[in-house]
Amino acid sequence: MAIERTFSIIKPDATRRNLTGAINAVYEKAGLRIIAQKRIWMSRQHAKKFYEVHAARPFYNDLVDFMVSGPVVVQVLEGENAVQAHRDLMGATNPANAAEGTIRKMFAESIEANSVHGSDSLENAAIEIAYFFAGCELVG
Ligand code: RTP
Ligand code: MG
């Protein structure tokens, strides 16, 4: 299996409840290495651009409001098959549908305030990593 890098966000509902360490422990226990990490408060402009792919969806404005409602922790995770491995650890978008043991099952508050973001493809991972990090900030 290939060693990949994926992009992750610990969302405002999780930072507010002091869950950064608990979520990072899930990643590290599963063998994903946190090779870059910073806590930021996204501007509305930054969040709107990040979620532009969802601009036509009914939840877009609420999602942007939520993502700028508090600090987030943006991260780059590295490991075997990291994109899919991370998605598997996150669980379904709606925590009501998320499998036992997944981050969203354990921690998410709602379909919107669902604690974590993860890239959905290797191609998007590269785009999202470059949107938040300079190459020199990735320390593998
Ligand atoms: P993410 O992008 O955050 O990793 O989550 P995802 O792939 O599982 O879900 P996606 O369809 O890409 O949706 C992005 C985020 O929008 C919020 N959402 N709200 N109110 C709603 O019906 C609704 N649907 C999605 C969630 O925060 C979701 O993670
Ligand atoms: Mg998504």
Side-chain angles (χ1 to χ4, degrees):
M1 257 192 272
I3 299 293
E4 295 176 350
R5 289 176 174 182
T6 193
F7 176 71
S8 168
I9 304 177
I10 298 176
K11 295 184 178 182
D13 67 288
T15 61
R16 180 169 44 76
R17 288 175 290 145
N18 219 18
L19 292 171
T20 299
I23 291 171
N24 280 348
V26 174
Y27 295 150
E28 292 188 331
K29 192 166 176 218
L32 291 172
R33 304 183 71 84
I34 302 162
I35 65 159
Q37 173 166 263
K38 57 190 174 190
R39 181 174 166 103
I40 61 170
W41 197 316
M42 263 197 265
S43 71
R44 183 166 298 273
Q45 186 187 22
H46 204 132
K48 282 177 82 170
K49 180 99 182 131
F50 181 70
Y51 281 115
E52 208 168 37
V53 59
H54 295 309
R57 309 280 285 277
F59 60 80
Y60 177 66
N61 287 328
D62 283 349
L63 173 60
V64 170
D65 285 347
F66 166 61
M67 291 301 290
V68 303
S69 68
V72 299
V73 177
V74 292
Q75 308 174 302
V76 180
L77 307 178
E78 184 179 85
E80 279 186 8
N81 209 15
V83 173
Q84 190 58 48
H86 183 218
R87 297 286 298 187
D88 291 347
L89 290 171
M90 286 163 49
T93 309
N94 186 344
N97 303 327
E100 283 302 328
T102 62
I103 291 169
R104 284 167 168 169
K105 179 71 176 184
M106 289 190 284
F107 302 125
E109 293 181 319
S110 67
I111 189 170
E112 177 179 86
N114 60 3
S115 302
V116 284
H117 162 87
S119 305
D120 58 12
S121 69
L122 201 50
E123 186 190 3
N124 283 338
I127 292 168
E128 293 174 1
I129 289 168
Y131 191 58
F132 286 92
F133 290 98
C136 64
E137 294 179 291
L138 313 183
V139 185

